[in-house]
Amino acid sequence: MTDEIDLSQLPPAEPYDKARDEAQRARLLDVWKKPTGWRGVSAVNNSHVGKWYLLTSFAFFVFAGILALLIRVQLAVPDNPLFSQSLYNQLFTLHGTAMMFLFAVPIFEAVAIIILPEILGARDLPFPRLSAFGFWCFVIGGVFVCGSIFFGVAPDGGWFMYTPLSSDPAYSGLGTDIWLLGLSFIEVSSIAAAVELIVGVLKSRPPGMRLNLIPLYCWYVLVVAGMILFAFPPLIAGDLLLEMERAFGWAFFDPDRGGDPLLWQHLFWIFGHPEVYIIFLPSIALIATMLPTFAGRPMVGHSWIVLSAVSVAFLSFGLWVHHMFTTGLPEISLAFFSAASEAVAVPTGIQIFCFIATMLVAKVRPSVPMLFAGGALAIFVFGGLTGVMVALVPFDWQAHDSYFVVAHLHYTLIGGMLFPLFAGIHYWYPFVTKRKMNDRAGKWSFWLMFGGFNVAFLPMHWTGIMGMPRRVWTYQLSDGWGLLNMVSTIGSFVFAFGFLVLAINVLWPRGKHAAAPRNIWNAGTMEWSEEQEGTPWGVRSIPYVHTRYPLWEQPELVGEMDRGEWFLPDAEEGERELIVTDILDARPLFVQRVGGPSFLTLGAAFCLGAVFILATFHLWTWTMFFGAGFVAFVLRWLWTGTARIPEKTTKYVGRGITLPTYAQGNKSVGWWAVFITMTGDMTAFTGLVFSYFFFWTALPDFLPSLADVPAFGPMMGGLALMLIGWGMTIASREALRKDNGTISMILLGGSVVIKTAGIAAWCYAAWAVGLDPTVHSFDAMVWMLILWTGLHLILDAVMHGYVIARIWKHCCTPIFRADVINLTLYGHFVAITVIVTFALLALFPLMMGVL
Amino acid sequence: MPELPEPPGDAPRVIDQGSIWILVASPSIWAAHFLISYWVAAVYCAKAPNAAPLMEPRWIAIGLGVFCCALIAWLAWIAVKRYGGVFLIFEEITESSERGRDKFVGHVSLLLCVLSAVAIVFNIIPGLVLGQC
């Protein structure tokens, strides 16, 4: 046991004083208010950014939905001459791409950014500017990718972009580059949001909210954000390989040069399958949050649902090959993946059973959100059953690439993701807008969508079994698919009409309507404690929470919060402040100050967007120029917004508790952000390591003779130099701790020089034996690993320069040294990259050569 | 050298008590077993002569599976003994105390152990049935 603060024994709050309350509210408003006019775009507050995120995602959903209707029009009748084959390919590629990357994943982030801080009783998430940056990256990338269809250059290789068609410029044009670079850019925003959400759930909980008291929604967010970190980076690695092949002719996927197109499928589906669960889990989390409200009791099997979420996250990574059952892999391998695919049904089923059990043991109040939730479960269970079918190898061999699969995936995604989301929109609309949606229109939209959806997608099971392949542009009357396709098309329009009703219901101006009651559904979770109007600060004071459903079980709480009786009721220093708590028991650790409105994030996103867009057109000079601009914006952002030395080291937060105002090492949120980001980075690197071994297993002559592998001597020397440089970074941290700033700066500078010499030695090792990345996959792989290390060292050098400047300017001091500690943490990850790369390039060929 | 003020109470205890790690330990064992089985089969099938009897990889998968299940059983024992994990459906571990939090973690860990073991058995079955690449 530890001598924790007993939060339940805090001294009583000071008596209420109206004048004090008003003064505190005025100060809070001043600090948290949104900039007005055109400066509004610089807002970073979660409630604003979340709303923008949500509306933008829905705009892309509408765009992708219109593409889907065009697809259905083309397929409505046989031999339809409406669209050319080329345009049709662009339509279905962009439909899938936009739905997946510009709607399904971003909407998770949008919803989480809006409701997570409130459900945690927090003022905001720990990195509001990062959320804003992610949002702007998403907008710029999304408009770039979607806009391409208006110029006839949209990607047309399917949302999975299979090689070798996509890697050979003779078959695929600019569209593939737009897909690769545009989506890599959007993944930046997904990973930024993942970092934000993980740290948010782990460290921004209200004091007292122990692990066993965290709401289910937060568990799901934590799990899904973790999945993003392990799923997206392999695709980034794949994108990098594919773009290097397309832009510079490096040999990764071209069989004539020792490449293998199947590698792309592996990297894509290691991302692509977990992606399905990345979409599904946050939406099912919305049901898990709403259901207890309407059942009027806690969820049955709370911890069973936590178990399910965690295990689905793990198991879903073992399913990627079930998209590749027909590619000719060994049967024993297929069997492993088939087994894992069936196993994932167990935890998925547990969640559904917990929901049903909760409904059975309570009397559920009927409502529009519950209508959508019920529809969602019905559709999803049906889709899950066909999922069990296609997870079986023999059945999949029959149904593969047919419309049966199209039907299956739409049943799981629309049942598992879209309908729960619509339920959530009806449920949280009063929370976001303080008004209530029209119930009658809600019911109309549900029945139109539910009916339309089933009419559209149920017949596809039959069209698929009757042999209609996916992605065909048109078909003949004699194929016998005409009637079923016409039915599907009619259903799709009914579905679209239902969505139109919902959209009108959402966007209907309700400014003059009466405000909805504060906790309109009588929910138990914290987000409904928010005051009704004009309070951009989230919660008036950060409460002590010691129950799972605080609004039900702590009846005095809302009043106490409103009167400012809990923590941080004021903003005396004019700073936006949060309380950071510990992971296990949410004990208050320190006061975190976060940045306010800023154009820096917008500028950084704009420059990074320009880098990706200009690179698509191979305008390298401009790319470099905007790359420099991006670095400048980010450095300025870090310099002015992070690890600032506070004017006082501690601060009284109320109820007898005084907390530090600065933290470093693994107590600080910055350290966690670096750790989490670098975990994602390591996953991308693992994708490259996987590629190396994939080539080795797939190609008998991947490893050349020992004379043609990177020279061992320079490789060894390079390794030694880079590790010495790493040691110097660590030594500089210790020198600063001992109040020796000058030595610290010298060590940091020296570290950069020595590491540069090290990577130069590796380049020489590859160059001296004549490795040419455009000739063979081994050469390309070697250069890619060296390039990857080199890129990390460039970043490392920039960060070293930044920290030297911080020490020089006394922003990083012997006491306040978060910058140098975070730099060292980054250095540890780079060191792992260096050691593994050395093992692959120098030791492994040697070992195999000896054998 | 003066140090920064410490927050009241102890520093966060993530690693020393292991509470967070025991949650992900058993699914991680599943993941390790799954990946090693796949790699062994992939390397064997690629590097061994075609249609060779699959004695080695299938027995590696099965042997490793048994070892992993034993490891998971040990974790489950820790979840029960040290964390007070129980196997109940209508649990309401909502007590606001360190003990309550521990019991919750133990409970979830125990459930994850059971599920991970089942998933490993799922993966052993192909090894028992399929005799070749």
Side-chain angles (χ1 to χ4, degrees):
Chain A
M1 294 295 278
T2 52
D3 56 334
E4 60 176 317
I5 327 165
D6 190 351
L7 290 165
S8 61
Q9 301 295 319
L10 294 174
E14 291 171 36
Y16 182 71
D17 175 350
K18 192 160 190 296
R20 185 189 62 214
D21 183 28
E22 279 170 5
Q24 289 182 339
R25 282 172 176 268
R27 279 193 289 271
L28 277 175
L29 184 62
D30 190 43
V31 170
W32 287 90
K33 73 178 174 209
K34 184 189 174 190
T36 50
W38 65 274
R39 290 178 176 275
V41 292
S42 68
V44 295
N45 200 337
N46 77 297
S47 52
H48 304 303
V49 174
K51 249 184 266 182
W52 299 342
Y53 228 131
L54 201 65
L55 289 171
T56 314
S57 307
F58 265 102
F60 287 125
F61 171 78
V62 170
F63 173 78
I66 292 170
L67 298 181
L69 292 179
L70 295 178
I71 292 170
R72 283 314 320 168
V73 170
Q74 168 68 22
L75 294 176
V77 290
D79 296 315
N80 191 347
L82 182 64
F83 297 125
S84 67
Q85 187 173 9
S86 161
L87 182 57
Y88 184 81
N89 289 346
Q90 296 182 30
L91 290 178
F92 78 71
T93 299
L94 211 51
H95 165 70
T97 301
M99 281 295 188
M100 282 292 189
F101 294 98
L102 302 177
F103 172 64
V105 174
I107 201 86
F108 150 64
E109 289 145 11
V111 173
I113 287 174
I114 287 184
I115 66 174
L116 185 69
E118 322 297 14
I119 223 168
L120 290 174
R123 288 262 154 79
D124 201 336
L125 291 169
F127 311 107
R129 287 183 177 177
L130 190 64
S131 306
F133 171 71
F135 167 73
W136 290 112
C137 287
F138 162 63
V139 176
I140 296 168
V143 169
F144 174 58
V145 173
C146 290
S148 60
I149 196 159
F150 300 111
F151 300 91
V153 288
D156 57 2
W159 82 279
F160 35 78
M161 209 47 74
Y162 283 162
T163 54
L165 291 180
S166 63
S167 56
D168 188 340
Y171 291 113
S172 56
L174 194 59
T176 305
D177 295 315
I178 291 173
W179 189 94
L180 285 167
L181 290 162
L183 294 182
S184 298
F185 179 46
I186 291 163
E187 283 157 21
V188 171
S189 70
S190 296
I191 291 172
V195 172
E196 169 89 325
L197 298 176
I198 291 175
V199 181
V201 174
L202 291 178
K203 308 288 289 177
S204 300
R205 305 205 302 270
M209 189 189 270
R210 296 168 195 273
L211 274 188
N212 56 327
L213 304 175
I214 303 182
L216 286 173
Y217 182 74
C218 306
W219 277 108
Y220 277 104
V221 167
L222 181 64
V223 161
V224 172
M227 289 177 74
I228 287 178
L229 279 189
F230 290 98
F232 278 56
L235 181 62
I236 293 178
D239 285 352
L240 184 62
L241 299 184
L242 185 46
E243 195 51 40
M244 290 303 279
E245 172 149 337
R246 288 180 58 85
F248 305 110
W250 289 28
F252 293 109
F253 306 106
D254 177 4
D256 292 338
R257 293 181 289 157
D260 192 332
L262 212 54
L263 172 64
W264 171 260
Q265 288 205 29
H266 277 290
L267 292 174
F268 182 83
W269 288 116
I270 289 171
F271 146 79
H273 196 84
E275 157 91 344
V276 176
Y277 288 89
I278 288 171
I279 292 166
F280 163 70
L281 290 175
S283 293
I284 215 75
L286 300 181
I287 295 190
T289 313
M290 284 179 266
L291 196 56
T293 300
F294 293 108
R297 58 152 290 141
M299 179 68 81
V300 172
H302 179 102
S303 42
W304 287 71
I305 293 181
V306 175
L307 133 98
S308 305
V310 174
S311 51
V312 164
F314 275 85
L315 292 174
S316 68
F317 280 88
L319 316 184
W320 84 86
V321 166
H322 82 206
H323 295 262
M324 303 164 62
F325 278 165
T326 59
T327 55
L329 295 178
E331 279 177 23
I332 183 86
S333 297
L334 301 187
F336 289 142
F337 287 91
S338 182
S341 303
E342 302 296 350
V344 81
V346 178
T348 312
I350 289 175
Q351 295 169 82
I352 306 292
F353 282 120
C354 286
F355 295 164
I356 294 172
T358 309
M359 290 194 270
L360 285 179
V361 297
K363 185 166 166 48
V364 178
R365 273 186 287 152
S367 64
V368 176
M370 278 313 291
L371 193 60
F372 274 98
L377 293 183
I379 296 174
F380 178 74
V381 167
F382 191 91
L385 292 176
T386 51
V388 174
M389 292 163 75
V390 291
L392 294 167
V393 179
F395 183 85
D396 185 76
W397 281 345
Q398 304 304 314
H400 184 81
D401 258 351
S402 77
Y403 257 78
F404 187 90
V405 178
V406 178
H408 158 69
L409 81 91
H410 283 90
Y411 263 83
T412 49
L413 289 179
I414 290 181
M417 182 263 164
L418 198 64
F419 272 68
L421 183 70
F422 289 157
I425 285 174
H426 285 84
Y427 181 76
W428 276 287
Y429 188 87
F431 160 72
V432 175
T433 66
K434 315 301 176 200
R435 302 287 183 276
K436 190 170 181 297
M437 282 171 79
N438 183 311
D439 275 356
R440 201 175 153 82
K443 283 177 193 160
W444 268 98
S445 62
F446 170 76
W447 287 110
L448 283 168
M449 281 197 279
F450 187 79
F453 166 77
N454 281 294
V455 172
F457 289 96
L458 194 65
M460 288 185 194
H461 293 96
W462 283 279
T463 32
I465 295 290
M466 288 163 73
M468 180 166 166
R470 304 169 71 170
R471 302 185 278 273
V472 284
W473 157 54
T474 190
Y475 54 93
Q476 293 179 343
L477 185 62
S478 57
D479 290 327
W481 311 322
L483 178 66
L484 289 169
N485 272 298
M486 177 55 88
V487 172
S488 288
T489 301
I490 292 169
S492 68
F493 275 87
V494 176
F495 181 66
F497 186 67
F499 176 73
L500 183 67
V501 175
L502 186 138
I504 292 171
N505 198 1
V506 169
L507 298 175
W508 194 264
R510 292 193 168 86
K512 291 177 184 165
H513 290 206
R518 187 162 177 179
N519 185 358
I520 183 170
W521 310 109
N522 189 24
T525 39
M526 288 287 295
E527 77 274 27
W528 297 99
S529 66
E530 197 186 60
E531 287 171 284
Q532 282 305 81
E533 297 284 355
T535 53
W537 53 67
V539 286
R540 169 75 180 81
S541 57
I542 299 166
Y544 162 52
V545 168
H546 55 87
T547 57
R548 259 188 207 162
Y549 296 90
L551 299 196
W552 289 345
E553 296 165 283
Q554 293 173 245
E556 303 300 318
L557 190 70
V558 174
E560 292 167 357
M561 287 164 68
D562 284 357
R563 292 191 295 273
E565 292 179 7
W566 286 106
F567 304 115
L568 280 184
D570 202 351
E572 299 104 321
E573 298 89 8
E575 296 277 351
R576 294 188 173 199
E577 291 168 326
L578 324 172
I579 286 187
V580 173
T581 51
D582 89 294
I583 291 174
L584 293 182
D585 291 319
R587 275 173 300 156
L589 291 181
F590 60 91
V591 174
Q592 168 78 19
R593 281 147 176 207
V594 298
S598 169
F599 285 102
L600 290 170
T601 48
L602 192 55
F606 175 77
C607 286
L608 189 60
V611 166
F612 280 95
I613 292 168
L614 293 166
T616 310
F617 300 100
H618 296 191
L619 299 167
W620 301 119
T621 314
W622 283 103
T623 304
M624 300 290 276
F625 175 76
F626 279 98
F630 169 68
V631 172
F633 270 112
V634 170
L635 290 182
R636 178 82 190 149
W637 168 6
L638 294 175
W639 190 282
T640 55
T642 61
R644 281 177 300 157
I645 296 179
E647 75 290 347
K648 56 183 178 185
T649 53
T650 57
K651 177 183 165 84
Y652 182 69
V653 296
R655 301 301 280 265
I657 291 188
T658 299
L659 294 176
T661 47
Y662 186 95
Q664 55 199 10
N666 65 9
K667 286 180 196 136
S668 73
V669 288
W671 187 92
W672 281 92
V674 174
F675 184 84
I676 294 166
T677 309
M678 292 315 292
T679 305
D681 179 82
M682 275 288 123
T683 316
F685 178 63
T686 309
L688 296 180
V689 174
F690 171 86
S691 305
Y692 182 94
F693 282 111
F694 175 82
F695 282 130
W696 176 67
T697 53
L699 309 167
D701 57 348
F702 176 63
L703 289 182
S705 69
L706 279 180
D708 296 324
V709 300
F712 191 81
M715 286 298 294
M716 190 69 206
L719 173 77
L721 286 171
M722 284 187 265
L723 292 184
I724 290 170
W726 172 45
M728 288 168 74
T729 307
I730 297 172
S732 78
R733 180 191 66 190
E734 293 310 305
L736 185 68
R737 193 173 68 81
K738 290 176 184 153
D739 202 12
N740 212 332
T742 312
I743 299 283
S744 181
M745 285 189 284
I746 291 169
L747 281 168
L748 286 173
S751 164
V752 173
V753 174
I754 286 193
K755 284 176 197 161
T756 308
I759 193 76
W762 278 14
C763 291
Y764 174 76
W767 176 77
V769 290
L771 294 181
D772 179 349
T774 61
V775 171
H776 191 268
S777 59
F778 176 78
D779 304 27
M781 213 56 241
V782 169
W783 277 111
M784 177 51 74
L785 286 163
I786 294 176
L787 177 69
W788 184 263
T789 311
L791 289 174
H792 281 72
L793 288 178
I794 291 174
L795 187 58
D796 188 67
V798 172
M799 287 160 70
H800 275 68
Y802 174 80
V803 175
I804 290 172
R806 294 282 284 184
I807 297 173
W808 179 258
K809 287 283 181 188
H810 302 291
C811 299
C812 180
T813 67
I815 298 174
F816 302 100
R817 51 182 194 282
D819 291 316
V820 74
I821 294 176
N822 292 350
L823 174 70
T824 321
L825 179 64
Y826 174 82
H828 297 338
F829 281 97
V830 177
I832 296 172
T833 306
V834 166
I835 291 167
V836 173
T837 304
F838 174 77
L840 286 184
L841 301 191
L843 296 183
F844 186 72
L846 200 67
M847 208 167 75
M848 290 296 125
V850 171
L851 288 174
Chain B
M1 212 51 237
E3 280 290 325
L4 274 176
E6 282 293 317
D10 279 356
R13 302 136 302 140
V14 181
I15 293 160
D16 58 330
Q17 264 199 337
S19 283
I20 291 287
W21 308 118
I22 191 169
L23 274 177
V24 292
S26 60
S28 300
I29 293 172
W30 166 83
H33 173 261
F34 181 82
L35 281 178
I36 293 171
S37 302
Y38 162 61
W39 288 333
V40 167
V43 172
Y44 181 84
C45 293
K47 299 293 177 191
N50 282 341
L54 195 72
M55 290 302 289
E56 292 85 346
R58 68 195 287 206
W59 289 116
I60 289 173
I62 292 167
L64 194 65
V66 172
F67 172 72
C68 289
C69 285
L71 210 58
I72 287 176
W74 175 68
L75 277 171
W77 185 81
I78 292 179
V80 172
K81 285 288 168 193
R82 197 184 303 168
Y83 291 97
V86 282
F87 197 77
L88 294 171
I89 295 177
F90 277 92
E91 54 64 47
E92 291 298 343
I93 309 172
T94 53
E95 183 192 328
S96 178
S97 66
E98 287 202 0
R99 183 69 192 144
R101 178 255 296 157
D102 271 352
K103 273 178 72 178
F104 174 79
V105 170
H107 179 50
V108 176
S109 305
L110 183 63
L111 297 177
L112 280 165
C113 285
V114 174
L115 193 71
S116 305
V118 169
I120 288 177
V121 171
F122 267 47
N123 258 14
I124 291 177
I125 293 171
L128 295 172
V129 177
L130 291 178
Q132 58 183 23
C133 291

